[in-house]
Each structure stands twice: as structure tokens, then as C-alpha cells.
């Protein structure tokens, strides 16, 4: 349930500003339209545990349920506020133009946000305290100005991004942190950046994401980041090769060939069956490596993966016997 306020847009049209969300779930979904009007603004402190709007009694305020339409304040009061630690996932509409300051302030349980690149007005400190965010789904209008760079720059933790434009890509922006070191003789502070995350977050020209710039950074991440992260980056980029040049594809593929067992074990641990099948179809494994993969699946008690790997092992044995006979 949403507390809404009718406001006048620049063009003289009535728009909707969201002031509060209520519900029993940990997922907040803001619709494109409410009562026939476009939803264009999320109020300051909307999802923060702090009180997020001033008490108002004018006739521009109303409560709205996506299932029932307009509802009374008494009915809305039956549900708890959806904010702070209650919130784990948010879906924002393409109509949204503005997100108020500190809208997600200290929502440290948020893990996933789906949004559109055309939401350009982001207030100060929107993601302050959002250390739990791991995943973004960006719907990108590639011919228009984008908020993607601005949003990613606000967060320093490792972020898994699904890019949906004219094609689809899965990208990883690794963690980074900056350390200020005093140079006493020169009386200056020198800022040292650790991790490749900042370089990846700068793979933009103006506001447009540059896939070639992103892919060109792969040699750096292979020596600075953990194997699990690099394997996932290479596998995601090859499986979703939007705007991937052949030269960079070869680099990703070469890395996967050298770390194929780690890639398989990671796919099993994450229960990513499609990734496991891709690796089995495009990589050559030795019998010892298959045994290790099966042991990993058994340890995870993943019967689906065990059955699949056992079947692949049998097929591999038949192929080897045929080759020996020839």
C-alpha cells in the first residue's frame, strides 16, 4: 500500500509523489501509474526507518493499493511500514524522474534494486548505509542520458549488474576502497585506491556505458581480485556477450580454460545449473576433474547436479572408449 500525493508537473500535468509504503512483504514495488497519473517522484527518506514525510491533511493525499485501488487510512494502518530493515528488494518504474535525498538511508538489508536509467534526479545520500546491496537490474535507454554511472559510483562494495538495453549483459563491478596516506615532508595527503572497482565504475563516456573499456580492464582484475570473482566475471561476459569483441572474448575464454574446475565448483555451489551445463558443453574435463566436481555436488547435497555430472561422466567414458578402439 502506498501513501500518494498529487503534485503538478512542469508541463502542468498532475503527477504522483510516493510518501510511504506499507505491507507484509520485504519487496517494494512502485507502479508506473496510480489512479491514472504517472508516478514520477519518491519522497525524501521514503524507505528509511526515520519518519519520511510531514503530516498533511489536504485533499491531494490518498492511500492506494495495487490490488484494490483507493483505500482508507484506517485500512492502511493495519499494515506495518515497509522500510528500514524490513526491506530487501525494490522495483522502481520507468516513469520515475526523481528520488529524494536519503530515500534508502540505512536500509542495510536491501540486496537487489531494479530501476531504469532514465531516472536522472538522485538526491544527496540516497544510498547512505546501504552496505547490503549486491545486485542491480538496469533497464537502459541507450540513446538517452543515463543514471547508471551515478548510481554505481555511490556504492563501493562488489555489485552484480544485469544490463538490459538493446541486448543483455551481466557485469560485475568489484569492490574498492580509498586510503589517505600522509606525506609528511611534502605536507600533503596522498590517496591510494585499492581494488579494480573504481576503474570499472569509470568505464563511461559522459553517461553512456562503454563495453570495450570494461572488457579491456580484465587483465588487471585477474591479478588483483579473487579467483571466484574473476571466474564469475568471465563466465557472465561470455554467456551474455552483448557488444563483446572477439579479442576480449578470447581473453575471457582463455582464463576459463585455465580455471575451469574452479568455475564448475562455483556453479555447483551457487546452484547455477545453466552455467554448469554451459561449462560442460564448451570445456574439456579430465576424469579426475569430473570426480572433484561430483564430490563438490555431493558435499552440497545437490542431487540435480550429481545426476547431471554422473551422466556427463558416462558420456565422456563412452567417447574415450570409442577413440581408443579407433
Amino acid at each position: 500500500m502506498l501513501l500518494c500525493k498529487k503534485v503538478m508537473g512542469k508541463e502542468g500535468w498532475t503527477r504522483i509523489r510516493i510518501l510511504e509504503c506499507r505491507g507484509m512483504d520485504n519487496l517494494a514495488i512502485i507502479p508506473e501509474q496510480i489512479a491514472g497519473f504517472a508516478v514520477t517522484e519518491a519522497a525524501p527518506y521514503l524507505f528509511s526507518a526515520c519518519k519520511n514525510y510531514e503530516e498533511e491533511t489536504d485533499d491531494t493525499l490518498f492511500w492506494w493499493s495495487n490490488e484494490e485501488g483507493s483505500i482508507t487510512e484506517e485500512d492502511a494502518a493495519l499494515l506495518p511500514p515497509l522500510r528500514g530493515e524490513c526491506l530487501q528488494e525494490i522495483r522502481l518504474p520507468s516513469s520515475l524522474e526523481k528520488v529524494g535525498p536519503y530515500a534508502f538511508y540505512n536500509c542495510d538489508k536491501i540486496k537487489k534494486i531494479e530501476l531504469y536509467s532514465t531516472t536522472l534526479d538522485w538526491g544527496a545520500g540516497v544510498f547512505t548505509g546501504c552496505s547490503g546491496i549486491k545486485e542491480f537490474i538496469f533497464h537502459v535507454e541507450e540513446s538517452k542520458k543515463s543514471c547508471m554511472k551515478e548510481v554505481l559510483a555511490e556504492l563501493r562494495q562488489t555489485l552484480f549488474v544485469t544490463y538490459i538495453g538493446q541486448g543483455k549483459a551481466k557485469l560485475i563491478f568489484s569492490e574498492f576502497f580509498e586510503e589517505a596516506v600522509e606525506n609528511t615532508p611534502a605536507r600533503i595527503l596522498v590517496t591510494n585506491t585499492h581494488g579494480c572497482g573504481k576503474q570499472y565504475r569509470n568505464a563511461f563516456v559522459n553517461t553512456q556505458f562503454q563495453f570495450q573499456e570494461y572488457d579491456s580492464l580484465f587483465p588487471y582484475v585477474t591479478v588483483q581480485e579473487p579467483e571466484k570473482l574473476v571466474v564469475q566475471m568471465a563466465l557472465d561476459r561470455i554467456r551474455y556477450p552483448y557488444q563483446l569483441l572477439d579479442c576480449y572474448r578470447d581473453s575471457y575464454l582463455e582464463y576459463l580454460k585455465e580455471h575451469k574446475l574452479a568455475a564448475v565448483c562455483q556453479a555447483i555451489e551457487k546452484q547455477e545449473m545453466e552455467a554448469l551445463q554451459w561449462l560442460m558443453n564448451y570445456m574439456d574435463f579430465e576424469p579426475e576433474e569430473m570426480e572433484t566436481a561430483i564430490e563438490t555436488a555431493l558435499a552440497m547435497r545437490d542431487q540435480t547436479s550429481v545426476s547431471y555430472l554422473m551422466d556427463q561422466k558416462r558420456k565422456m567414458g563412452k567417447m574415450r572408449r570409442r577413440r581408443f578402439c579407433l
Side-chain angles (χ1 to χ4, degrees):
M1 296 183 183
L2 303 167
L3 178 59
C4 312
K5 179 180 177 65
K6 294 180 181 178
V7 295
M8 196 64 67
K10 295 179 181 178
E11 302 85 357
W13 301 338
T14 300
R15 306 293 185 92
I16 297 295
R17 177 189 298 145
I18 305 299
L19 300 178
E20 185 179 357
C21 294
R22 288 179 173 268
M24 300 297 295
D25 204 352
N26 54 24
L27 165 64
I29 301 176
I30 307 298
E32 299 277 340
Q33 291 189 345
I34 288 178
F37 302 111
V39 177
T40 60
E41 186 177 345
Y45 293 92
L46 173 59
F47 295 109
S48 170
C50 304
K51 183 179 177 182
N52 53 25
Y53 67 96
E54 295 294 331
E55 295 288 351
E56 299 184 55
T57 57
D58 61 70
D59 57 5
T60 64
L61 259 65
F62 63 97
W63 283 95
W64 182 268
S65 166
N66 292 333
E67 293 79 22
E68 304 173 26
S70 183
I71 60 173
T72 64
E73 185 175 354
E74 289 74 18
D75 288 338
L78 298 175
L79 293 175
L82 184 55
R83 59 193 186 210
E85 293 188 352
C86 300
L87 198 60
Q88 294 185 17
E89 184 176 348
I90 300 171
R91 296 177 190 169
L92 302 176
S94 61
S95 59
L96 196 67
E97 298 174 356
K98 180 179 181 179
V99 179
Y102 301 100
F104 310 130
Y105 180 67
N106 276 353
C107 293
D108 58 355
K109 295 297 188 295
I110 296 178
K111 297 179 181 178
K112 181 178 179 180
I113 299 179
E114 183 172 357
L115 71 160
Y116 288 77
S117 65
T118 49
T119 303
L120 299 179
D121 190 348
W122 293 80
V126 169
F127 296 106
T128 300
C130 295
S131 57
I133 295 178
K134 295 181 179 179
E135 182 179 356
F136 279 101
I137 299 177
F138 271 98
H139 298 269
V140 181
E141 287 283 345
E142 296 179 338
S143 61
K144 297 182 180 179
K145 189 176 180 181
S146 170
C147 68
M148 183 174 170
K149 180 180 181 180
E150 179 182 359
V151 170
L152 296 179
E154 289 291 319
L155 297 163
R156 298 186 178 185
Q157 65 264 33
T158 298
L159 300 173
F160 297 83
V161 174
T162 300
Y163 178 107
I164 303 174
Q166 295 181 16
K168 181 178 179 180
K170 287 199 171 184
L171 311 167
I172 298 178
F173 294 81
S174 57
E175 180 184 15
F176 77 99
F177 69 93
E178 295 176 325
E179 178 185 30
V181 179
E182 182 180 5
N183 185 331
T184 305
R187 298 182 179 180
I188 59 174
L189 286 176
V190 178
T191 301
N192 296 326
T193 301
H194 302 271
C196 296
K198 190 169 185 179
Q199 292 171 278
Y200 275 96
R201 285 163 174 79
N202 286 330
F204 291 82
V205 171
N206 296 325
T207 66
Q208 301 304 313
F209 182 68
Q210 304 297 303
F211 284 92
Q212 294 183 33
E213 178 66 22
Y214 175 93
D215 294 326
S216 70
L217 296 170
F218 188 65
Y220 298 97
V221 80
T222 59
V223 297
Q224 294 188 48
E225 301 294 346
E227 181 187 42
K228 285 188 175 182
L229 183 70
V230 184
V231 162
Q232 189 69 52
M233 180 181 289
L235 187 57
D236 285 347
R237 197 68 186 99
I238 291 177
R239 291 179 63 216
Y240 300 90
Y242 181 51
Q243 295 197 25
L244 178 61
L245 299 182
D246 289 343
C247 59
Y248 296 127
R249 182 182 184 279
D250 292 342
S251 297
Y252 288 124
L253 194 57
E254 186 63 31
Y255 184 87
L256 282 178
K257 288 179 179 178
E258 295 173 358
H259 300 81
K260 57 188 176 183
L261 183 56
V264 164
C265 292
Q266 183 163 307
I268 295 169
E269 292 169 1
K270 292 186 174 183
Q271 297 185 332
E272 295 180 347
M273 195 63 192
E274 290 184 4
L276 178 60
Q277 291 171 340
W278 188 94
L279 288 163
M280 286 293 140
N281 289 332
Y282 290 94
M283 299 285 165
D284 294 324
F285 290 88
E286 296 298 325
E288 307 81 41
E289 293 172 326
M290 290 297 295
E291 286 294 338
T292 302
I294 292 170
E295 290 173 5
T296 301
L298 286 169
M300 295 295 297
R301 297 182 179 180
D302 184 351
Q303 294 302 318
T304 302
S305 295
V306 171
S307 299
Y308 174 74
L309 290 169
M310 291 293 288
D311 185 53
Q312 293 297 308
K313 183 181 177 182
R314 282 192 295 271
K315 291 179 181 178
M316 183 188 298
K318 290 179 181 179
M319 291 296 293
R320 288 180 182 273
R321 283 196 295 272
R322 288 174 188 167
R323 289 172 183 169
F324 179 79
C325 293
L326 291 173

